[in-house]
Amino acid sequence: MERTFLMVKPDGVQRNVIGEIVSRFENKGFKLVGAKLMQIPTELAEQHYGEHKERPFFGELVDFITSGPVFAMVWEGENVISTARLMMGATNPKESAPGTIRGDYAVTVGKNIIHGSDSPESSAREIGLFFKEEELVSYEKAMNNWII
Ligand code: IDP
């Protein structure tokens, strides 16, 4: 079963949408297997966004993601990586469709509410960066038989 790393960014925490975002993924039929509210240390932010380190906005990105607490999560389900990306909407909120998280809650690319892994490789890497194995919980939900 696939897992993905999702994170409500500091803007989402400050705007009180943690619960709304968790609800969307619960209602869809995915399973939460790990979660924590945390303040990201600068070094972890630089590792997480390592692929962007040559970009002009890298400093701004690291400053923003470390500017307040984030809500880090691991979700499990069939095709959860690509489906979560669809539910998040396009990176730039001016292009994200209404009904998506960014389409409904964000205006500008620098403050786009949520992060989600974009591939199985980045999901494995990001889960490993943010969570210890023992922080993830394997369990069954009876309702699952009515979802897949
Ligand atoms: P993603 O978050 O949809 O995977 P990426 O291209 O990996 O998008 O970019 C990572 C994050 O960097 C974006 O979510 C966005 O917050 C930020 N970002 C991307 N482009 C810009 C920019 O031009 N200015 C400021 N921040 C940006």
Side-chain angles (χ1 to χ4, degrees):
M1 192 55 77
E2 229 176 51
R3 285 181 171 182
T4 195
F5 174 70
L6 301 181
M7 173 167 69
V8 181
K9 296 183 181 184
D11 52 336
V13 174
Q14 294 297 329
R15 291 179 55 196
N16 303 324
V17 292
I18 294 175
E20 164 68 23
I21 289 171
V22 169
S23 282
R24 287 188 183 214
F25 292 101
E26 282 185 324
N27 290 340
K28 177 71 174 171
F30 293 133
K31 182 163 72 179
L32 185 63
V33 297
K36 57 185 171 187
L37 185 75
M38 62 183 284
Q39 175 74 46
I40 304 184
T42 302
E43 192 180 318
L44 175 58
E46 287 172 351
Q47 277 180 285
H48 173 64
Y49 282 128
E51 66 173 301
H52 297 301
K53 70 171 177 290
E54 306 305 331
R55 305 274 196 99
F57 59 85
F58 182 68
E60 194 186 314
L61 188 55
V62 169
D63 286 350
F64 172 64
I65 208 70
T66 57
S67 65
V70 301
F71 192 66
M73 301 168 279
V74 178
W75 287 85
E76 190 175 281
E78 196 169 294
N79 298 315
V80 68
I81 300 172
S82 56
T83 305
R85 294 282 299 185
L86 284 175
M87 291 168 67
M88 287 160 52
T91 301
N92 193 329
K94 75 178 186 203
E95 280 140 26
S96 7
T100 65
I101 293 166
R102 288 163 170 168
D104 288 350
Y105 294 109
V107 170
T108 185
V109 70
K111 295 190 176 74
N112 60 1
I113 300 281
I114 184 166
H115 167 84
S117 310
D118 62 3
S119 67
E121 296 70 33
S122 51
S123 154
R125 190 180 78 85
E126 293 167 1
I127 291 171
L129 276 177
F130 282 85
F131 287 90
K132 301 190 183 93
E133 191 54 47
E134 62 267 27
E135 291 177 310
L136 302 179
V137 184
S138 286
Y139 63 107
E140 295 305 320
K141 288 177 112 170
M143 194 195 273
N144 216 40
N145 293 329
W146 299 98
I147 293 169
I148 52 172

